[in-house]
Amino acid sequence: MLQVVFRILGPLDVQVDGRPVPLSGARQRTILAMLLLSANHVVSVDTLAEAVWQGSPPTTFVNQIAICVSGLRKAFKAAVGADDLIVTSHPGYLLATGGHRIDAAEFEELVAEARDARERGRTAAAAGLLEQALGLWRGRALEGVAAGRVAAEAARLDEQRLGVHEELTALRLDLGRHRELIGELTSFLAEHGLREQSRAQLMLAQYRSGLRAEALETYRDARRLLADELGIEPGPRLRQLHDAVLADEAWLAAPAVAPTAGGTAPAPAPAPDPGPSAVGGPRPGSAAVAGPADPGAERKGFHSAFEPVSQRRGRPRQPAVPAARTRGTDRRSGPGEVPPARSPQNVQPAASALEFRLLGPVEATAGGREIPLDGAKQRSVLAALLLADGRLLPDERLSTLIWGWDPPATWTAQLHTYASRLRGRLGPLVDLVRRGPGYRLDIGPARLDLREFRRDADLGHRALENGSYARAAELLSAALGQWRGEPLTGVTPQLAEKELPGLEESRLAVLEDRIEAELALGGHRAAVPELLRLVAEHPTRERLRGQLMIGLYRCDRQGDALEVYEAGRRLLAEELGVDPGPALRRLHHQVLTGDLTHPGVPERPAAVLAPAARSGAAPPPGTRPAGAVPDGGEERGGLVPAMLPPATADFIGRERHLAALAAALRGVRPDGPASAAAVEDPAAPAGPVVLTGGAGTGKSALAVHAAHLVRDDFPDGHLYADLSTPDGTPRDPGAVLGGFLRALGADEPELPDALDERVRLYRSRLAGRHVLVVLDNAADDRQVRPLLTAESRSRTLVTSRAALGVLEGARRFQVGPLDFPGAYQLLAAAGRERVSADPAATARIVELCERLPLALRVCAARLAAHPHWSPARLADRLTPAEHRLDELRLGDLDVRARLRYGLPGLDPATRAALGVLARAGADSWTPADAAALLGASERDAEEVLEALTGARLLTAAEDRAELRYRFAPLVRLIALEECRTAVAV
């Protein structure tokens, strides 16, 4: 069969074996464009009419559309020999692509492959794929056709192209191809002068080509353009790059490693990555090219543009367009892969269940087969009864929804007929009864898409308000996934006119919530194209406009964000005679002043703009470079301390902990709206934020990660100290204060010897500053207290195994082992294919490691260091208890050493009791049980158990109203080793 190529990345064009298919007239082209944008899905006649006639169709629009479709069928039959490419399907038409190609689908497939290659460290291959993808473009998307509804989708496609262009440029900079980029970027900026990302890439290419003066002139051009057109300064990242060029900072140099002949960049060394990639793009193996933070935030597919966004989310990929990738596509777990946790309400019913659908064409199915419904009136009766949600629907109300205000004389008899037919078609699975002057439908356990939409939407909104952004995004996406097109398709105009506005408003509200959750998760790059289309379709919705401004600002497009605000201000003034609301005005001010906060959870690294640390280590994603002077830093006349260690690159899970810690550090009230910007609350207590947990639970990594999330909220610096020495003994707080004071600019002669004098000098140095202090591995309250700040605008984050219960005003958070999906994902760092190949063995490893992040990292590192090992082999090596701790050690990662940190602080009697309890072999003990084993009173035994619990060597929980104490298996192994050592001595 001849293959048809549909091309929309440029002027609309259809090719058959390289020969164009003639298309006649603007209407025919618009209809074809609409069908292509929703390929393999029905587009209603009403939607086609709105696109063709811009909302004012003639009375004969149905016939005129049918004539245009007939013309397209004839053209395809003449070219291909088949007239079944366009199928009539109630309530409109469907373009079935079959084995034919659409260039936009190929474009998105190539981009996805490029991002995957980049994640695997194959930089040259990724660049080649992106070049191939951009080569499919022949001009602006749907040029010559893009008007009205088509224009919004064309704008989204064009924005996607520009983003991919910037991704490709970052890869080419990584590959050392800076000289060839100068001319291309100069031409690109002549057309897109406000894109600060591209301007930064040009500056870097010029600098690496020895054109330092030209790079500085490029910055000056940007500054003049932004000042003349928008009255603003360049964004903070572009300013930082300008300062780095002025100072000739080392990280600006071209990458030293060239790609291999095979097109794959050499694997990165295990040492910290040097800085140059922070501007050229992420290093191989670190992150996808400008990819989304959340797996659920892939860029949207080009098709189904005029279905509700929710319909595209949650819909399985269509085999007819194999290359298309839609945002939020339902992910099926691969062989052996642990699927993401799902709530019970999201589990689909059995295939034999009865199902009703209102969020699209009105349908009823049983056992997967459609139940026939006769005409619009019978569909309307069913839809109206379902919308009543089990309540009695009076005859008069039902009559109005079907016939309007002028029903026929026999309307009561007709209603009875429709109800009887429905009862016969639906059978005994539902209860359709006559009650007094109306009808009532009880569908029992049958599935109703509207009911599931509302339930998931409500749960998602509550999760959003609580700051559980990942959970909110999952639930809201599931809610939107219930939509299959325009709701109530096939019902009478009277019913549609009454119910559609409320349903559409509900969808938009849920859509705005979902976008807010994804922005909070750092998904701004993926959200911008969608928001551009949504704002074009709903220009007066200020929340959507504000979300677009946030997305653009976080993509380093401050100028575009201000233009979006100005366009909205003009529109509201001209159409409604009002100014933007206070929330949008406040957001506009934050964009102008550069005060807009970063997301609560970081996005994967952007391609350019964030300079690396002067020490040579690449900064964590989305953070200010270490050593760079933040806004206002120069006013203090000294170096701003930036002592945070790098964040863990492959940090997994803990979203709720991160959100809670970030809110506590920012001083946000716990009961405040999750959607509010992280504005510091002056009334919030300045007490420390304390994170406690056992050894190996990842407290330090979590604390550092949370500190990086909020570092921009503390422009006067970030102090960090590990309060434990390598052998586990506590550090002297006076020595720690000495280091802090030096970082804050104190000269050595200024440092007093006495601890109390150092405390006073430390707090004086912090007076009036916004400083974040991280105290890691604190031993007890006495060690921490001298290091606490007295400044209400500063915050202190403390990690400890101890509860630190007497610290005044502390907000406490406890961290334990990971949940199973998070632990599985962390172990998959060794290679998802290897882990997925043997899920049973992988699950054994997870449980033998007790889901402790430290132990799992050791196992992932051992699998990576032994590529010939299978997960089953490692699980077998871990199974013998006497060898397990030996296996959980690699390099400086040592589970045994970390678990033993709690032993030196025990008094001899408690340490001896630890061995007795370990040898006893019982699963758990009450104080009475322990007293019998230890030969002590119950009170003394309970004191010993509490001391061991405080050292995180035991856990305590109530069991049938009885307090019981337990060993974790790995801690028991440590205790048994301690016994053997004591006996040997």
Side-chain angles (χ1 to χ4, degrees):
M1 183 181 74
L2 297 174
Q3 188 177 62
V4 181
V5 180
F6 299 97
R7 302 196 295 177
I8 62 176
L9 302 182
L12 179 62
D13 184 23
V14 182
Q15 301 269 333
V16 177
D17 286 352
R19 300 187 307 274
V21 175
L23 301 174
S24 59
R27 292 178 185 172
Q28 195 177 81
R29 289 175 175 273
T30 301
I31 290 172
L32 178 58
M34 292 289 292
L35 294 174
L36 282 170
L37 290 167
S38 297
N40 302 302
H41 293 275
V42 176
V43 181
S44 70
V45 172
D46 289 340
T47 301
L48 293 174
E50 183 179 347
V52 172
W53 286 283
Q54 307 295 302
S56 301
T59 55
T60 59
F61 72 88
V62 175
N63 289 335
Q64 293 192 42
I65 288 175
I67 291 170
C68 290
V69 170
S70 177
L72 286 170
R73 286 171 171 160
K74 290 178 181 177
F76 292 149
K77 185 172 184 179
V80 190
D83 59 356
D84 58 351
L85 289 178
I86 300 179
V87 179
T88 301
S89 180
H90 180 80
Y93 300 94
L94 174 150
L95 191 146
T97 57
H100 304 301
R101 295 163 44 204
I102 303 178
D103 60 354
E106 294 182 14
F107 170 76
E108 292 193 340
E109 181 71 14
L110 288 167
V111 170
E113 290 178 13
R115 289 174 181 152
D116 181 66
R118 184 66 178 90
E119 285 184 342
R120 297 172 185 273
R122 301 174 59 232
T123 308
L129 288 165
L130 289 184
E131 288 173 349
Q132 188 179 348
L134 290 171
L136 294 171
W137 286 76
R138 300 166 292 112
R140 292 187 178 277
L142 293 166
E143 192 171 349
V145 183
R149 299 196 71 179
V150 180
E153 182 64 11
R156 186 192 67 79
L157 288 168
D158 286 331
E159 172 60 30
Q160 196 171 1
R161 174 179 63 88
L162 296 177
V164 170
H165 181 277
E166 289 174 337
E167 293 178 22
L168 174 60
T169 301
L171 290 173
R172 293 168 71 185
L173 284 169
D174 272 355
L175 292 168
R177 293 160 61 180
H178 37 271
R179 292 186 182 278
E180 67 189 54
L181 284 170
I182 294 175
E184 296 177 22
L185 285 170
T186 302
S187 300
F188 181 83
L189 285 167
E191 186 177 356
H192 307 285
L194 297 177
R195 293 187 79 94
E196 294 189 30
Q197 183 97 328
S198 296
R199 195 166 293 275
Q201 290 171 329
L202 175 58
M203 288 175 63
L204 185 60
Q206 290 170 326
Y207 183 89
R208 289 181 176 175
S209 300
L211 304 174
R212 180 173 179 270
E214 285 80 355
L216 294 172
E217 182 61 32
T218 295
Y219 175 82
R220 286 191 287 270
D221 288 343
R223 188 176 183 184
R224 283 194 294 268
L225 180 67
L226 290 168
D228 292 345
E229 294 200 6
L230 303 173
I232 62 171
E233 288 290 313
R237 292 185 180 179
L238 196 59
R239 294 199 305 270
Q240 288 170 3
L241 181 59
H242 171 253
D243 293 344
V245 172
L246 279 174
D248 286 315
E249 294 190 6
W251 66 268
L252 293 171
V257 181
T260 63
T264 304
D273 232 359
S277 183
V279 168
R283 281 286 185 195
S286 62
V289 181
D294 182 62
E298 293 179 18
R299 294 177 185 270
K300 256 181 288 306
F302 71 94
H303 58 279
S304 307
F306 300 105
E307 304 165 295
V309 171
S310 52
Q311 179 175 345
R312 300 198 297 275
R313 300 182 61 87
R315 182 179 60 216
R317 179 191 280 181
Q318 298 299 318
V321 191
R325 297 194 176 194
T326 47
R327 179 176 180 151
T329 298
D330 186 18
R331 290 164 178 77
R332 303 289 189 253
S333 300
E337 185 176 336
V338 174
R342 293 176 62 86
S343 58
Q345 64 266 25
N346 287 334
V347 178
Q348 296 299 311
S352 60
L354 185 63
E355 182 175 354
F356 297 97
R357 300 170 182 167
L358 298 178
L359 303 179
V362 174
E363 296 174 349
T365 63
R369 291 179 294 183
E370 186 172 353
I371 297 173
L373 300 173
D374 299 330
K377 293 183 176 61
Q378 189 175 82
R379 291 176 187 274
S380 299
V381 170
L382 174 61
L385 290 168
L386 290 170
L387 288 167
D389 197 19
R391 298 185 298 273
L392 185 71
L393 191 63
D395 292 344
E396 290 79 6
R397 172 69 173 165
L398 197 51
S399 169
T400 303
L401 294 174
I402 295 175
W403 290 285
W405 298 107
D406 189 22
T410 59
W411 66 270
T412 53
Q414 291 189 46
L415 282 182
H416 177 75
T417 300
Y418 295 140
S420 298
R421 288 178 181 173
L422 276 177
R423 197 177 290 114
R425 299 277 170 83
L426 300 178
L429 298 175
V430 300
D431 189 18
L432 175 54
V433 295
R434 176 80 179 171
R435 287 284 185 273
Y439 293 90
R440 177 181 173 275
L441 176 63
D442 182 2
I443 64 173
R447 181 182 181 275
L448 174 62
D449 56 1
L450 179 60
R451 181 188 295 168
E452 297 195 3
F453 165 77
R454 288 171 172 165
R455 182 192 57 222
D456 285 344
D458 181 61
L459 291 172
H461 184 74
R462 277 185 269 169
L464 182 64
E465 289 184 330
N466 293 332
S468 303
Y469 301 119
R471 179 64 175 153
E474 178 187 6
L475 286 165
L476 295 166
S477 297
L480 292 168
Q482 302 294 337
W483 290 64
R484 299 166 294 109
E486 184 172 321
L488 301 178
T489 299
V491 303
T492 61
Q494 293 83 359
L495 176 59
E497 182 180 357
K498 179 67 178 177
E499 299 292 344
L500 276 180
L503 292 172
E504 179 62 13
E505 177 59 34
S506 297
R507 182 186 72 85
L508 286 173
V510 174
L511 181 59
E512 288 170 339
D513 278 353
R514 193 217 79 213
I515 292 173
E516 181 174 329
E518 292 183 349
L519 287 174
L521 291 167
H524 39 273
R525 295 187 184 278
V528 165
E530 177 185 9
L531 283 165
L532 284 169
R533 179 179 58 79
L534 288 170
V535 169
E537 292 177 355
H538 308 283
T540 60
R541 290 188 79 92
E542 294 191 27
R543 189 180 180 195
L544 284 174
R545 190 172 293 274
Q547 289 171 334
L548 176 56
M549 291 172 63
I550 292 171
L552 290 169
Y553 179 88
R554 290 179 180 167
C555 291
D556 301 304
R557 296 172 60 184
Q558 184 186 19
D560 290 341
L562 292 173
E563 280 193 343
V564 167
Y565 175 84
E566 183 59 26
R569 187 195 63 77
R570 287 195 302 267
L571 178 76
L572 291 170
E574 292 169 2
E575 294 197 3
L576 304 174
V578 298
D579 287 327
L584 199 61
R585 293 200 306 271
R586 185 165 54 250
L587 181 60
H588 173 248
H589 177 74
Q590 290 175 314
V591 173
L592 272 175
T593 58
D595 291 337
L596 193 60
T597 55
H598 290 289
V601 178
E603 184 178 30
R604 293 159 118 171
V608 302
L609 294 183
R614 295 181 184 178
S615 64
T623 63
R624 182 189 292 115
V629 180
D631 295 343
E634 292 89 341
E635 296 174 6
R636 298 196 173 272
L639 182 68
V640 174
M643 299 172 65
L644 291 178
T648 304
D650 56 350
F651 190 85
I652 299 295
R654 308 290 197 196
E655 291 89 354
R656 296 179 66 181
H657 282 92
L658 282 172
L661 287 171
L665 291 171
R666 287 169 170 149
V668 177
R669 293 187 181 93
D671 56 350
S675 59
V679 179
E680 187 173 312
D681 176 12
V689 177
V690 177
L691 181 63
T692 64
T697 53
K699 300 183 299 297
S700 297
L702 176 59
V704 170
H705 212 77
H708 278 293
L709 296 185
V710 301
R711 61 184 298 172
D712 288 332
D713 294 85
F714 299 92
D716 297 320
H718 323 105
L719 301 174
Y720 172 88
D722 188 341
L723 302 185
S724 175
T725 62
D727 64 358
T729 57
R731 290 183 63 194
D732 175 49
V736 175
L737 281 173
F740 282 175
L741 287 168
R742 294 183 192 95
L744 291 167
D747 295 327
E748 198 68 32
E750 291 182 67
L751 299 182
D753 293 329
L755 176 62
D756 59 341
E757 292 180 2
R758 288 194 174 193
V759 170
R760 287 194 292 270
L761 179 58
Y762 172 60
R763 291 173 180 168
S764 298
R765 285 271 177 174
L766 292 181
R769 294 178 182 238
H770 292 74
V771 175
L772 175 63
V773 183
V774 180
L775 305 175
D776 201 8
N777 293 316
D780 54 32
D781 309 78
R782 290 171 297 178
Q783 185 189 29
V784 170
R785 198 175 298 279
L787 304 174
L788 296 179
T789 66
E791 172 57 55
S792 63
R793 287 175 290 185
S794 294
R795 289 290 186 272
T796 304
L797 173 59
V798 186
T799 73
S800 178
R801 297 184 193 184
L804 305 183
V806 297
L807 288 180
E808 297 83 358
R811 293 184 61 181
R812 291 177 174 81
F813 302 89
Q814 186 163 339
V815 62
L818 291 166
D819 57 15
F820 186 85
Y824 188 97
Q825 193 176 356
L826 182 56
L827 188 58
R832 184 165 295 278
E833 295 81 3
R834 292 170 69 190
V835 168
S836 299
D838 194 345
T842 301
R844 284 173 58 204
I845 295 173
V846 168
E847 294 307 327
L848 288 169
C849 291
E850 300 170 31
R851 293 180 280 119
L852 289 177
L854 176 63
L856 290 164
R857 286 192 181 280
V858 173
C859 289
R862 287 180 70 83
L863 285 173
H866 299 83
H868 53 286
W869 281 11
S870 66
R873 179 174 178 80
L874 179 58
D876 291 342
R877 293 175 67 96
L878 288 169
T879 298
E882 63 272 19
H883 300 309
R884 190 173 308 156
L885 291 172
D886 294 326
E887 294 295 327
L888 294 176
R889 181 176 60 189
L890 186 67
D892 61 350
L893 298 177
D894 189 344
V895 173
R896 174 188 281 112
R898 197 71 61 87
L899 292 175
R900 288 182 61 86
Y901 276 2
L903 298 179
L906 300 177
D907 61 69
T910 304
R911 199 160 178 169
L914 179 70
V916 173
L917 295 172
R919 288 196 304 272
D923 291 334
S924 63
W925 319 270
T926 64
D929 297 333
L933 288 170
L934 300 174
S937 69
E938 186 171 335
R939 179 181 177 84
D940 290 342
E942 185 171 2
E943 290 298 322
V944 169
L945 293 173
E946 285 297 329
L948 292 172
T949 303
R952 304 287 177 177
L953 296 170
L954 295 180
T955 59
E958 282 196 350
D959 185 2
R960 294 189 293 272
E962 199 174 37
L963 190 61
R964 304 192 71 86
Y965 298 82
R966 290 178 172 82
F967 271 123
L970 289 176
V971 175
R972 183 193 293 275
L973 296 179
I974 290 290
L976 290 172
E977 286 187 351
E978 183 73 7
C979 289
R980 288 193 290 269
T981 303
V983 170
V985 172

